[in-house]
Structures are given as C-alpha cells and as structure tokens.
Amino acid sequence: MASKLLRAVILGPPGSGKGTVCQRIAKNFGLQHLSSGDFLRQNIRASTEIGVMAKKYLEQGLPVPDSLITRVMLSELETMKNQPWLLDGFPRTLAQAEALDKICDLDLVISLNIPFETLKDRLNTRWIHQPSGRVYNLEFNPPNVHGIDDISGEPLIQQEHDKPDAVISRLRQYKDVAKPVIELYKNKGIFHTFSGTETNRIWPYIYTLLSTKITPVHPEDTSQAFCAEEH
C-alpha cells in the first residue's frame, strides 16, 4: 500500500460521536487528531491574540467567526506537513472548506449520520469539563463521581446549548450550515457517510474503509462486529 500521507476530515452534528471515532482512528491508524475545539481552548488559555478574540465571542454565546477558526487551523496544519492527520470540527462552513481547499487536497471525508432523536437524547445527558473539553454522557460514559471530572476533580457543567430547549435549533442550524460542505465533498468523490445509532456498530465499517487507504498500525479484528451487525 502506498505510504502517502492521509488527509482526512470527520463531519457530524453535535452528539454524533466524532470525538470517540477520532480517538479510535488516531489509535488504530496513527493519524494526528486535530480538533478545532482543542486548539481554540489552547489559544484561550495562552491568551494569544486569537484566543482573546475567540473568548469574547464565546462569552457572549456567539459562534467564533470563520476567519478566526480558519487562522487557527491553517496555522496548525502548516506544522503538520509531514504527518498524516484527521480534522475534527473543521471545516464547519463552506468558507472554511474553501480555505482548506486552497492549501491541501483531502483524501477522505467521513460523515456520521445519526438519527435526530438519538442526537437529542445524547446532548440532553452530556456534561463537560470546560477547561479541558472532556465530555461525559450520563448514560453511556458517566464520570466516576456524579458531577465531577475524573482527572482534575473539578465540577462538570451542562452547556446552555446542550439543554433541551436549545438542542433542536442547534441541530437544525448544523444541518443548514453543513449542507453546502457535504455537497462540495460529494462532488469531489471523497465523501463517505455512515449511519446508525451506536458508535460501536458504525466503527467496523469506518475501520474497513480506512484500511483501504492506509495500513493500520494497530490492526483490529472486526469480523465479530460484522457478524453481530448481521444478526
């Protein structure tokens, strides 16, 4: 198999399990997991110019503008020219996708298509440790102590936009913004969508697709998962 450096993107609405899938891809295939949320938090903690500006938007409950997110991510990608990577949380908009297009050719776009009701349920039970971005779900990934981060011992919060009243409009907004991004990548012939309600059932298919593009560094036996899927 060719040793080409893989350039991949994962797309999916809030609550779709992107973080979990990214961790598995990074572990099994050796790709660098590049999360826009992580880089923003790092800039905010370091009080960089971008971090200070981003913090002002976030404190007002506003989305961080395309121009700021794009500056952060393109700067990070400059340092990753000799490594395979997986982008998570970027690009979210067509403007971001077009900016990314100008500096690299993507090989693969993975999209997680999760039913609306499943997303609502996941988001309503999602709590986070804000300083680190660690995410917990009270149903399938609860903290060891209710309301407390496992690592730091600090309190968890439920973000305003994860509360029931905000979730529906948030998911609709994602759908509207993502549509032209999805169309762009469909037209390039690099778009692959995976549907389901459980990450563990979707994962074997994602693994198989990636295995056709890049050699796993930690091979998995997915045959049992496929058998379970068929029964």
Side-chain angles (χ1 to χ4, degrees):
M1 190 174 292
S3 58
K4 182 182 185 300
L5 294 173
L6 193 75
R7 309 297 194 210
V9 164
I10 186 163
L11 301 176
S16 60
K18 291 193 302 295
T20 302
V21 171
C22 286
Q23 288 170 7
R24 293 186 185 187
I25 291 174
K27 176 186 172 186
N28 285 278
F29 294 93
L31 271 66
Q32 293 294 317
H33 174 201
L34 307 181
S35 161
S36 61
D38 287 349
F39 291 134
L40 266 184
R41 281 186 285 273
Q42 289 169 17
N43 276 269
I44 290 169
R45 281 197 297 269
S47 294
T48 65
E49 178 195 356
I50 288 174
V52 170
M53 287 190 284
K55 188 176 181 181
K56 289 179 182 176
Y57 286 98
L58 294 172
E59 285 177 345
Q60 296 174 60
L62 299 172
V64 178
D66 279 347
S67 57
L68 285 186
I69 296 280
T70 300
R71 277 175 63 188
V72 169
M73 296 308 292
L74 297 193
S75 171
E76 292 293 337
L77 291 177
E78 274 295 312
T79 69
M80 304 288 296
K81 286 183 174 177
N82 299 317
Q83 296 183 61
W85 45 251
L86 171 68
L87 288 177
D88 168 17
F90 180 89
R92 288 185 194 272
T93 67
L94 184 59
Q96 291 176 7
E98 289 172 342
L100 178 62
D101 231 14
K102 290 176 182 174
I103 67 156
C104 72
D105 292 321
L106 291 176
D107 301 298
L108 182 66
V109 176
I110 294 166
S111 178
L112 303 180
N113 180 32
I114 312 299
F116 189 77
E117 289 301 319
T118 301
L119 294 172
K120 277 203 312 183
D121 291 345
R122 287 183 184 178
L123 291 171
N124 289 340
T125 55
R126 184 161 84 163
W127 289 71
I128 72 160
H129 177 244
Q130 200 159 26
S132 68
R134 279 187 288 276
V135 176
Y136 297 87
N137 186 287
L138 299 185
E139 292 184 356
F140 57 82
N141 177 37
N144 293 328
V145 178
H146 183 74
I148 300 296
D149 178 50
D150 290 348
I151 294 173
S152 69
E154 294 172 345
L156 303 176
I157 65 163
Q158 185 175 40
Q159 295 175 297
E160 287 298 322
H161 60 219
D162 284 343
K163 293 180 180 177
D165 291 346
V167 162
I168 294 174
S169 63
R170 190 178 172 207
L171 292 175
R172 283 181 181 147
Q173 183 185 32
Y174 170 82
K175 190 175 179 180
D176 292 341
V177 171
K179 189 174 181 180
V181 178
I182 289 170
E183 286 303 313
L184 174 72
Y185 293 137
K186 277 184 177 177
N187 291 336
K188 288 178 176 289
I190 57 173
F191 183 82
H192 301 265
T193 188
F194 297 88
S195 302
T197 58
E198 296 175 36
T199 300
N200 285 343
R201 287 181 175 271
I202 295 172
W203 169 245
Y205 297 96
I206 296 174
Y207 179 91
T208 299
L209 171 68
L210 279 161
S211 297
T212 67
K213 307 286 184 183
I214 185 172
T215 305
V217 292
H218 295 293
E220 264 188 18
D221 179 10
T222 58
S223 58
Q224 287 185 332
F226 280 120
C227 288
E229 188 82 6
E230 288 166 4
H231 286 90

Short mmCIF file of all heavy atoms in Angstrom, two decimals, residues 167-221:
data_model
loop_
_atom_site.label_atom_id
_atom_site.label_comp_id
_atom_site.label_asym_id
_atom_site.label_seq_id
_atom_site.Cartn_x
_atom_site.Cartn_y
_atom_site.Cartn_z
N VAL A 167 -31.28 22.42 22.05
CA VAL A 167 -30.75 21.34 21.21
C VAL A 167 -31.38 21.31 19.82
O VAL A 167 -30.68 21.16 18.81
CB VAL A 167 -30.93 19.97 21.93
CG1 VAL A 167 -30.79 18.82 20.94
CG2 VAL A 167 -29.90 19.84 23.04
N ILE A 168 -32.69 21.44 19.74
CA ILE A 168 -33.37 21.31 18.44
C ILE A 168 -32.89 22.37 17.45
O ILE A 168 -32.54 22.06 16.31
CB ILE A 168 -34.90 21.37 18.62
CG1 ILE A 168 -35.37 20.14 19.41
CG2 ILE A 168 -35.60 21.44 17.27
CD1 ILE A 168 -36.84 20.15 19.77
N SER A 169 -32.83 23.63 17.91
CA SER A 169 -32.39 24.68 16.98
C SER A 169 -30.92 24.51 16.63
O SER A 169 -30.50 24.80 15.50
CB SER A 169 -32.63 26.07 17.59
OG SER A 169 -31.88 26.24 18.76
N ARG A 170 -30.13 24.02 17.58
CA ARG A 170 -28.71 23.79 17.31
C ARG A 170 -28.50 22.72 16.23
O ARG A 170 -27.66 22.88 15.33
CB ARG A 170 -28.04 23.35 18.62
CG ARG A 170 -26.53 23.31 18.57
CD ARG A 170 -25.98 22.91 19.92
NE ARG A 170 -24.55 22.69 19.85
CZ ARG A 170 -23.88 21.90 20.65
NH1 ARG A 170 -24.52 21.23 21.59
NH2 ARG A 170 -22.58 21.74 20.53
N LEU A 171 -29.27 21.66 16.29
CA LEU A 171 -29.16 20.59 15.30
C LEU A 171 -29.65 21.06 13.93
O LEU A 171 -29.06 20.72 12.90
CB LEU A 171 -29.93 19.35 15.76
CG LEU A 171 -29.35 18.64 16.99
CD1 LEU A 171 -30.26 17.51 17.43
CD2 LEU A 171 -27.94 18.11 16.71
N ARG A 172 -30.71 21.85 13.92
CA ARG A 172 -31.20 22.38 12.64
C ARG A 172 -30.17 23.31 12.00
O ARG A 172 -29.97 23.31 10.79
CB ARG A 172 -32.52 23.13 12.86
CG ARG A 172 -33.70 22.19 13.04
CD ARG A 172 -34.99 22.96 13.23
NE ARG A 172 -36.12 22.05 13.43
CZ ARG A 172 -37.16 22.33 14.19
NH1 ARG A 172 -37.24 23.49 14.83
NH2 ARG A 172 -38.15 21.46 14.33
N GLN A 173 -29.54 24.13 12.85
CA GLN A 173 -28.52 25.06 12.36
C GLN A 173 -27.35 24.29 11.75
O GLN A 173 -26.83 24.66 10.69
CB GLN A 173 -28.03 25.95 13.50
CG GLN A 173 -27.01 27.00 13.04
CD GLN A 173 -26.46 27.78 14.21
OE1 GLN A 173 -26.33 27.26 15.32
NE2 GLN A 173 -26.12 29.05 13.98
N TYR A 174 -26.92 23.21 12.42
CA TYR A 174 -25.83 22.39 11.89
C TYR A 174 -26.19 21.86 10.50
O TYR A 174 -25.38 21.94 9.56
CB TYR A 174 -25.51 21.20 12.80
CG TYR A 174 -24.57 20.23 12.12
CD1 TYR A 174 -23.21 20.45 12.11
CD2 TYR A 174 -25.07 19.13 11.41
CE1 TYR A 174 -22.35 19.60 11.42
CE2 TYR A 174 -24.22 18.27 10.72
CZ TYR A 174 -22.85 18.51 10.73
OH TYR A 174 -22.02 17.68 10.03
N LYS A 175 -27.40 21.36 10.37
CA LYS A 175 -27.84 20.79 9.09
C LYS A 175 -27.77 21.82 7.97
O LYS A 175 -27.29 21.53 6.87
CB LYS A 175 -29.27 20.25 9.24
CG LYS A 175 -29.75 19.43 8.06
CD LYS A 175 -31.13 18.84 8.35
CE LYS A 175 -31.63 18.02 7.16
NZ LYS A 175 -32.97 17.45 7.42
N ASP A 176 -28.23 23.04 8.24
CA ASP A 176 -28.23 24.09 7.23
C ASP A 176 -26.81 24.48 6.82
O ASP A 176 -26.52 24.65 5.63
CB ASP A 176 -28.96 25.34 7.75
CG ASP A 176 -30.46 25.11 7.93
OD1 ASP A 176 -30.97 24.15 7.32
OD2 ASP A 176 -31.09 25.87 8.67
N VAL A 177 -25.93 24.61 7.82
CA VAL A 177 -24.55 25.05 7.55
C VAL A 177 -23.74 23.94 6.86
O VAL A 177 -22.91 24.21 5.99
CB VAL A 177 -23.87 25.49 8.86
CG1 VAL A 177 -22.38 25.76 8.64
CG2 VAL A 177 -24.54 26.75 9.41
N ALA A 178 -24.00 22.69 7.25
CA ALA A 178 -23.21 21.56 6.73
C ALA A 178 -23.59 21.18 5.30
O ALA A 178 -22.76 20.62 4.58
CB ALA A 178 -23.38 20.34 7.64
N LYS A 179 -24.80 21.51 4.89
CA LYS A 179 -25.28 21.05 3.58
C LYS A 179 -24.34 21.41 2.42
O LYS A 179 -23.96 20.54 1.63
CB LYS A 179 -26.69 21.58 3.33
CG LYS A 179 -27.35 20.96 2.10
CD LYS A 179 -28.80 21.41 1.98
CE LYS A 179 -29.45 20.77 0.76
NZ LYS A 179 -30.85 21.18 0.59
N PRO A 180 -23.92 22.69 2.27
CA PRO A 180 -23.02 23.00 1.14
C PRO A 180 -21.64 22.38 1.29
O PRO A 180 -20.98 22.09 0.28
CB PRO A 180 -22.94 24.54 1.18
CG PRO A 180 -23.39 24.94 2.54
CD PRO A 180 -24.35 23.89 3.00
N VAL A 181 -21.19 22.15 2.54
CA VAL A 181 -19.90 21.49 2.76
C VAL A 181 -19.97 20.05 2.26
O VAL A 181 -19.08 19.56 1.56
CB VAL A 181 -19.51 21.52 4.25
CG1 VAL A 181 -18.19 20.80 4.49
CG2 VAL A 181 -19.43 22.96 4.76
N ILE A 182 -21.06 19.38 2.62
CA ILE A 182 -21.27 17.99 2.19
C ILE A 182 -21.35 17.91 0.66
O ILE A 182 -20.74 17.02 0.04
CB ILE A 182 -22.55 17.43 2.84
CG1 ILE A 182 -22.30 17.21 4.35
CG2 ILE A 182 -22.99 16.13 2.18
CD1 ILE A 182 -23.56 16.89 5.15
N GLU A 183 -22.06 18.84 0.05
CA GLU A 183 -22.18 18.85 -1.42
C GLU A 183 -20.81 19.03 -2.07
O GLU A 183 -20.50 18.39 -3.09
CB GLU A 183 -23.13 19.98 -1.87
CG GLU A 183 -24.59 19.69 -1.60
CD GLU A 183 -25.07 18.39 -2.24
OE1 GLU A 183 -24.77 18.17 -3.44
OE2 GLU A 183 -25.73 17.59 -1.55
N LEU A 184 -19.99 19.91 -1.51
CA LEU A 184 -18.65 20.14 -2.04
C LEU A 184 -17.84 18.85 -2.07
O LEU A 184 -17.23 18.50 -3.09
CB LEU A 184 -17.92 21.19 -1.18
CG LEU A 184 -16.45 21.45 -1.53
CD1 LEU A 184 -16.33 22.20 -2.85
CD2 LEU A 184 -15.76 22.23 -0.41
N TYR A 185 -17.88 18.11 -0.96
CA TYR A 185 -17.07 16.89 -0.88
C TYR A 185 -17.68 15.73 -1.66
O TYR A 185 -16.96 14.87 -2.16
CB TYR A 185 -16.83 16.53 0.59
CG TYR A 185 -15.94 17.53 1.30
CD1 TYR A 185 -16.24 17.97 2.59
CD2 TYR A 185 -14.83 18.05 0.67
CE1 TYR A 185 -15.43 18.90 3.24
CE2 TYR A 185 -14.00 18.98 1.30
CZ TYR A 185 -14.31 19.40 2.58
OH TYR A 185 -13.51 20.32 3.21
N LYS A 186 -19.01 15.72 -1.77
CA LYS A 186 -19.65 14.71 -2.64
C LYS A 186 -19.19 14.90 -4.08
O LYS A 186 -18.89 13.93 -4.79
CB LYS A 186 -21.17 14.84 -2.56
CG LYS A 186 -21.81 14.15 -1.37
CD LYS A 186 -23.32 14.25 -1.44
CE LYS A 186 -23.99 13.50 -0.30
NZ LYS A 186 -25.46 13.65 -0.32
N ASN A 187 -19.15 16.15 -4.51
CA ASN A 187 -18.75 16.44 -5.89
C ASN A 187 -17.29 16.08 -6.16
O ASN A 187 -16.91 15.81 -7.31
CB ASN A 187 -18.98 17.92 -6.21
CG ASN A 187 -20.46 18.26 -6.28
OD1 ASN A 187 -21.30 17.40 -6.54
ND2 ASN A 187 -20.80 19.52 -6.05
N LYS A 188 -16.48 16.06 -5.11
CA LYS A 188 -15.08 15.67 -5.26
C LYS A 188 -14.90 14.15 -5.25
O LYS A 188 -13.80 13.65 -5.51
CB LYS A 188 -14.24 16.29 -4.13
CG LYS A 188 -14.04 17.80 -4.25
CD LYS A 188 -13.24 18.32 -3.06
CE LYS A 188 -12.95 19.80 -3.19
NZ LYS A 188 -11.96 20.09 -4.25
N GLY A 189 -15.97 13.44 -4.87
CA GLY A 189 -15.90 11.98 -4.84
C GLY A 189 -15.14 11.41 -3.65
O GLY A 189 -14.67 10.27 -3.70
N ILE A 190 -15.03 12.19 -2.56
CA ILE A 190 -14.26 11.72 -1.40
C ILE A 190 -15.14 11.59 -0.15
O ILE A 190 -14.65 11.34 0.94
CB ILE A 190 -13.08 12.67 -1.09
CG1 ILE A 190 -13.59 14.10 -0.85
CG2 ILE A 190 -12.05 12.63 -2.20
CD1 ILE A 190 -12.50 15.07 -0.36
N PHE A 191 -16.46 11.73 -0.34
CA PHE A 191 -17.40 11.76 0.78
C PHE A 191 -17.97 10.39 1.07
O PHE A 191 -18.46 9.71 0.17
CB PHE A 191 -18.54 12.74 0.45
CG PHE A 191 -19.54 12.93 1.56
CD1 PHE A 191 -19.28 13.81 2.60
CD2 PHE A 191 -20.74 12.24 1.56
CE1 PHE A 191 -20.20 14.01 3.62
CE2 PHE A 191 -21.67 12.42 2.58
CZ PHE A 191 -21.39 13.31 3.60
N HIS A 192 -17.89 9.96 2.34
CA HIS A 192 -18.42 8.66 2.76
C HIS A 192 -19.25 8.86 4.01
O HIS A 192 -18.75 9.40 5.00
CB HIS A 192 -17.29 7.67 3.05
CG HIS A 192 -16.39 7.42 1.88
ND1 HIS A 192 -16.56 6.38 1.02
CD2 HIS A 192 -15.32 8.12 1.44
CE1 HIS A 192 -15.61 6.42 0.08
NE2 HIS A 192 -14.85 7.48 0.31
N THR A 193 -20.50 8.42 3.99
CA THR A 193 -21.38 8.62 5.15
C THR A 193 -21.67 7.28 5.83
O THR A 193 -21.79 6.24 5.18
CB THR A 193 -22.68 9.33 4.73
OG1 THR A 193 -23.42 9.67 5.91
CG2 THR A 193 -23.56 8.45 3.85
N PHE A 194 -21.76 7.31 7.16
CA PHE A 194 -22.00 6.12 7.96
C PHE A 194 -23.17 6.41 8.89
O PHE A 194 -23.16 7.39 9.63
CB PHE A 194 -20.75 5.76 8.77
CG PHE A 194 -19.58 5.41 7.91
CD1 PHE A 194 -18.71 6.39 7.46
CD2 PHE A 194 -19.36 4.09 7.51
CE1 PHE A 194 -17.64 6.08 6.64
CE2 PHE A 194 -18.30 3.77 6.68
CZ PHE A 194 -17.43 4.76 6.25
N SER A 195 -24.20 5.56 8.82
CA SER A 195 -25.43 5.80 9.57
C SER A 195 -25.63 4.77 10.67
O SER A 195 -25.25 3.60 10.52
CB SER A 195 -26.64 5.75 8.62
OG SER A 195 -26.49 6.70 7.58
N GLY A 196 -26.25 5.20 11.77
CA GLY A 196 -26.55 4.28 12.86
C GLY A 196 -26.81 5.03 14.15
O GLY A 196 -26.72 6.26 14.21
N THR A 197 -27.14 4.28 15.19
CA THR A 197 -27.41 4.89 16.49
C THR A 197 -26.32 4.60 17.51
O THR A 197 -26.30 5.20 18.57
CB THR A 197 -28.75 4.37 17.07
OG1 THR A 197 -28.67 2.94 17.19
CG2 THR A 197 -29.92 4.75 16.18
N GLU A 198 -25.39 3.68 17.18
CA GLU A 198 -24.34 3.29 18.12
C GLU A 198 -22.97 3.35 17.45
O GLU A 198 -22.77 2.76 16.39
CB GLU A 198 -24.58 1.87 18.64
CG GLU A 198 -25.86 1.71 19.46
CD GLU A 198 -26.09 0.26 19.84
OE1 GLU A 198 -25.09 -0.44 20.11
OE2 GLU A 198 -27.25 -0.18 19.86
N THR A 199 -22.04 4.04 18.08
CA THR A 199 -20.69 4.16 17.53
C THR A 199 -20.05 2.79 17.34
O THR A 199 -19.37 2.55 16.34
CB THR A 199 -19.81 5.02 18.47
OG1 THR A 199 -20.40 6.32 18.58
CG2 THR A 199 -18.40 5.16 17.93
N ASN A 200 -20.27 1.87 18.27
CA ASN A 200 -19.65 0.55 18.17
C ASN A 200 -20.13 -0.24 16.96
O ASN A 200 -19.41 -1.11 16.46
CB ASN A 200 -19.93 -0.27 19.44
CG ASN A 200 -19.09 0.20 20.61
OD1 ASN A 200 -18.09 0.89 20.43
ND2 ASN A 200 -19.49 -0.17 21.82
N ARG A 201 -21.33 0.06 16.48
CA ARG A 201 -21.84 -0.64 15.28
C ARG A 201 -21.35 0.03 13.99
O ARG A 201 -21.19 -0.62 12.96
CB ARG A 201 -23.37 -0.67 15.31
CG ARG A 201 -23.92 -1.65 16.33
CD ARG A 201 -25.44 -1.67 16.31
NE ARG A 201 -25.97 -2.69 17.20
CZ ARG A 201 -26.20 -3.96 16.87
NH1 ARG A 201 -25.91 -4.37 15.65
NH2 ARG A 201 -26.70 -4.80 17.74
N ILE A 202 -21.12 1.35 14.06
CA ILE A 202 -20.64 2.08 12.89
C ILE A 202 -19.15 1.86 12.68
O ILE A 202 -18.66 1.77 11.55
CB ILE A 202 -20.93 3.60 13.05
CG1 ILE A 202 -22.44 3.86 13.07
CG2 ILE A 202 -20.29 4.41 11.94
CD1 ILE A 202 -22.80 5.30 13.42
N TRP A 203 -18.42 1.76 13.78
CA TRP A 203 -16.96 1.73 13.74
C TRP A 203 -16.37 0.67 12.79
O TRP A 203 -15.43 0.99 12.01
CB TRP A 203 -16.38 1.54 15.14
CG TRP A 203 -14.91 1.24 15.13
CD1 TRP A 203 -14.29 0.11 15.54
CD2 TRP A 203 -13.86 2.11 14.66
NE1 TRP A 203 -12.92 0.20 15.36
CE2 TRP A 203 -12.64 1.42 14.82
CE3 TRP A 203 -13.85 3.39 14.11
CZ2 TRP A 203 -11.42 1.96 14.45
CZ3 TRP A 203 -12.63 3.95 13.73
CH2 TRP A 203 -11.43 3.24 13.90
N PRO A 204 -16.83 -0.60 12.77
CA PRO A 204 -16.19 -1.58 11.87
C PRO A 204 -16.20 -1.16 10.40
O PRO A 204 -15.26 -1.45 9.65
CB PRO A 204 -17.03 -2.86 12.08
CG PRO A 204 -17.63 -2.69 13.43
CD PRO A 204 -17.89 -1.23 13.58
N TYR A 205 -17.24 -0.45 9.98
CA TYR A 205 -17.33 -0.01 8.58
C TYR A 205 -16.36 1.14 8.30
O TYR A 205 -15.75 1.21 7.22
CB TYR A 205 -18.77 0.41 8.27
CG TYR A 205 -19.74 -0.73 8.41
CD1 TYR A 205 -20.46 -0.91 9.60
CD2 TYR A 205 -19.91 -1.66 7.39
CE1 TYR A 205 -21.33 -1.99 9.75
CE2 TYR A 205 -20.79 -2.73 7.52
CZ TYR A 205 -21.50 -2.89 8.71
OH TYR A 205 -22.35 -3.95 8.86
N ILE A 206 -16.20 2.02 9.28
CA ILE A 206 -15.22 3.10 9.14
C ILE A 206 -13.81 2.51 9.09
O ILE A 206 -12.98 2.90 8.27
CB ILE A 206 -15.35 4.11 10.31
CG1 ILE A 206 -16.71 4.79 10.27
CG2 ILE A 206 -14.23 5.14 10.27
CD1 ILE A 206 -17.01 5.69 11.47
N TYR A 207 -13.57 1.55 9.96
CA TYR A 207 -12.26 0.89 10.02
C TYR A 207 -11.93 0.22 8.68
O TYR A 207 -10.81 0.36 8.16
CB TYR A 207 -12.26 -0.15 11.14
CG TYR A 207 -10.95 -0.91 11.28
CD1 TYR A 207 -9.95 -0.44 12.13
CD2 TYR A 207 -10.72 -2.08 10.56
CE1 TYR A 207 -8.75 -1.14 12.27
CE2 TYR A 207 -9.53 -2.77 10.67
CZ TYR A 207 -8.55 -2.30 11.53
OH TYR A 207 -7.36 -2.97 11.64
N THR A 208 -12.90 -0.47 8.11
CA THR A 208 -12.69 -1.16 6.83
C THR A 208 -12.38 -0.16 5.71
O THR A 208 -11.48 -0.39 4.90
CB THR A 208 -13.93 -2.00 6.47
OG1 THR A 208 -14.14 -2.97 7.50
CG2 THR A 208 -13.75 -2.71 5.14
N LEU A 209 -13.13 0.95 5.68
CA LEU A 209 -12.86 1.98 4.66
C LEU A 209 -11.45 2.52 4.81
O LEU A 209 -10.69 2.62 3.82
CB LEU A 209 -13.88 3.12 4.79
CG LEU A 209 -13.57 4.35 3.92
CD1 LEU A 209 -13.72 4.03 2.44
CD2 LEU A 209 -14.48 5.52 4.31
N LEU A 210 -11.07 2.90 6.02
CA LEU A 210 -9.74 3.47 6.23
C LEU A 210 -8.63 2.48 5.89
O LEU A 210 -7.57 2.88 5.40
CB LEU A 210 -9.59 3.94 7.69
CG LEU A 210 -10.20 5.31 7.98
CD1 LEU A 210 -10.44 5.50 9.46
CD2 LEU A 210 -9.30 6.41 7.45
N SER A 211 -8.91 1.20 6.13
CA SER A 211 -7.90 0.17 5.84
C SER A 211 -7.59 0.07 4.34
O SER A 211 -6.53 -0.44 3.96
CB SER A 211 -8.37 -1.20 6.35
OG SER A 211 -8.51 -1.18 7.76
N THR A 212 -8.50 0.56 3.51
CA THR A 212 -8.23 0.57 2.06
C THR A 212 -7.38 1.78 1.66
O THR A 212 -6.89 1.83 0.53
CB THR A 212 -9.55 0.62 1.25
OG1 THR A 212 -10.19 1.89 1.45
CG2 THR A 212 -10.49 -0.49 1.65
N LYS A 213 -7.23 2.73 2.58
CA LYS A 213 -6.48 3.95 2.27
C LYS A 213 -5.12 4.00 2.95
O LYS A 213 -4.19 4.64 2.46
CB LYS A 213 -7.28 5.19 2.75
CG LYS A 213 -8.71 5.26 2.25
CD LYS A 213 -8.78 5.64 0.80
CE LYS A 213 -10.23 5.81 0.34
NZ LYS A 213 -10.31 6.12 -1.09
N ILE A 214 -5.03 3.36 4.12
CA ILE A 214 -3.81 3.45 4.92
C ILE A 214 -3.67 2.17 5.74
O ILE A 214 -4.66 1.60 6.18
CB ILE A 214 -3.86 4.70 5.83
CG1 ILE A 214 -2.56 4.90 6.60
CG2 ILE A 214 -5.05 4.66 6.78
CD1 ILE A 214 -2.49 6.24 7.36
N THR A 215 -2.45 1.71 5.93
CA THR A 215 -2.22 0.48 6.69
C THR A 215 -2.40 0.75 8.19
O THR A 215 -1.79 1.67 8.72
CB THR A 215 -0.80 -0.05 6.44
OG1 THR A 215 -0.61 -0.22 5.02
CG2 THR A 215 -0.58 -1.37 7.15
N PRO A 216 -3.22 -0.06 8.87
CA PRO A 216 -3.39 0.13 10.32
C PRO A 216 -2.08 -0.09 11.06
O PRO A 216 -1.31 -1.00 10.71
CB PRO A 216 -4.42 -0.93 10.72
CG PRO A 216 -5.08 -1.34 9.43
CD PRO A 216 -4.06 -1.16 8.35
N VAL A 217 -1.84 0.73 12.09
CA VAL A 217 -0.66 0.50 12.92
C VAL A 217 -1.00 -0.47 14.06
O VAL A 217 -0.13 -1.12 14.62
CB VAL A 217 -0.09 1.82 13.50
CG1 VAL A 217 0.49 2.67 12.39
CG2 VAL A 217 -1.15 2.61 14.27
N HIS A 218 -2.29 -0.53 14.40
CA HIS A 218 -2.78 -1.49 15.40
C HIS A 218 -3.99 -2.20 14.80
O HIS A 218 -5.13 -1.79 15.03
CB HIS A 218 -3.17 -0.79 16.71
CG HIS A 218 -2.01 -0.17 17.41
ND1 HIS A 218 -0.99 -0.91 17.98
CD2 HIS A 218 -1.70 1.13 17.63
CE1 HIS A 218 -0.10 -0.09 18.52
NE2 HIS A 218 -0.51 1.15 18.32
N PRO A 219 -3.76 -3.27 14.01
CA PRO A 219 -4.88 -3.95 13.34
C PRO A 219 -5.92 -4.47 14.33
O PRO A 219 -5.57 -4.92 15.42
CB PRO A 219 -4.19 -5.10 12.60
CG PRO A 219 -2.76 -4.67 12.45
CD PRO A 219 -2.46 -3.87 13.68
N GLU A 220 -7.18 -4.39 13.92
CA GLU A 220 -8.31 -4.88 14.73
C GLU A 220 -8.97 -6.02 13.99
O GLU A 220 -9.01 -6.05 12.77
CB GLU A 220 -9.35 -3.76 14.91
CG GLU A 220 -9.22 -2.99 16.18
CD GLU A 220 -10.41 -2.05 16.38
OE1 GLU A 220 -11.45 -2.24 15.75
OE2 GLU A 220 -10.26 -1.12 17.19
N ASP A 221 -9.55 -6.95 14.75
CA ASP A 221 -10.39 -7.99 14.16
C ASP A 221 -11.84 -7.49 14.22
O ASP A 221 -12.45 -7.48 15.28
CB ASP A 221 -10.25 -9.30 14.92
CG ASP A 221 -11.15 -10.40 14.33
OD1 ASP A 221 -11.71 -10.18 13.24
OD2 ASP A 221 -11.29 -11.45 14.98
#
